[in-house]
Amino acid sequence: MFISERGVGLKSQIQRNARLIAELHQRVHETVRERDVSASRRKAWVDACSEFQARYDTLAFIGGVSTARDRIRSGDAMAIEYALCFIEVRPYFFRSGYMYKDFLRVLRNIELSPQQRVRYERVSEAYAEYRRSRRHPQADR
């Protein structure tokens, strides 16, 4: 499988995982409202929290988000490709914005192939433009 084909698959996986994380997180929010109503509702909330916590790390990043930065820095090809796909997709789920910014910083400081560098620069420039437009919204008028 070529990297570009793998990238398409990874992007789909990132989007699926983001939806699942959002669903799990939503379940926590839905059950927290009624956790003090009864023992069964408290258990539903505890179960929702436990499932979210148990699955988040591996759903958020292939191989686990807790080790992602170290794997990217060490040159793990799959972690680098996944991080590039992640910043290209820019999924939305609990803590994904922090991950996005972290991956931008880490990827900026590692060796990337020429094609990967082009992909990184495209995302980095778009993010810089987004930040400029948020600082000076009247400049666009």
Side-chain angles (χ1 to χ4, degrees):
M1 180 182 300
F2 296 106
I3 285 278
S4 61
E5 291 172 354
R6 185 183 328 150
V8 171
L10 290 178
K11 289 177 182 180
S12 296
Q13 180 181 357
I14 290 166
Q15 292 167 332
R16 282 190 308 272
N17 288 358
R19 283 190 299 273
L20 187 49
I21 291 170
E23 290 169 10
L24 293 169
H25 198 233
Q26 181 62 32
R27 242 184 79 218
V28 170
H29 284 284
E30 289 169 355
T31 56
V32 74
R33 295 182 197 122
E34 297 185 352
R35 69 181 170 196
D36 294 329
V37 172
S38 67
S40 65
R41 299 240 173 118
R42 175 163 292 276
K43 183 178 179 337
W45 171 70
V46 168
D47 291 347
C49 292
S50 295
E51 184 177 9
F52 177 80
Q53 291 169 352
R55 299 186 66 194
Y56 179 84
D57 190 60
T58 55
L59 287 172
F61 194 86
I62 192 169
V65 73
S66 59
T67 62
R69 184 183 305 132
D70 292 336
R71 288 182 291 130
I72 294 166
R73 285 186 179 139
S74 72
D76 180 324
M78 181 54 87
I80 292 169
E81 182 62 26
Y82 198 89
L84 280 167
C85 289
F86 187 96
I87 65 171
E88 288 172 329
V89 170
R90 196 167 187 178
Y92 183 77
F93 58 85
F94 180 72
R95 299 196 56 81
S96 64
Y98 295 109
M99 290 172 57
Y100 177 86
K101 290 175 188 174
D102 191 38
F103 295 155
L104 279 175
R105 280 189 301 272
V106 174
L107 290 167
R108 177 180 54 220
N109 297 312
I110 66 164
E111 187 174 333
L112 298 172
S113 72
Q115 297 87 355
Q116 289 174 326
R117 184 58 61 190
V118 167
R119 292 168 57 200
Y120 172 81
E121 291 299 331
R122 186 175 29 237
V123 173
S124 181
E125 289 169 12
Y127 181 66
E129 181 57 36
Y130 163 78
R131 301 243 330 142
R132 279 191 294 276
S133 71
R134 295 210 14 122
R135 277 191 222 126
H136 306 290
Q138 290 81 11
D140 294 337
R141 293 181 185 174

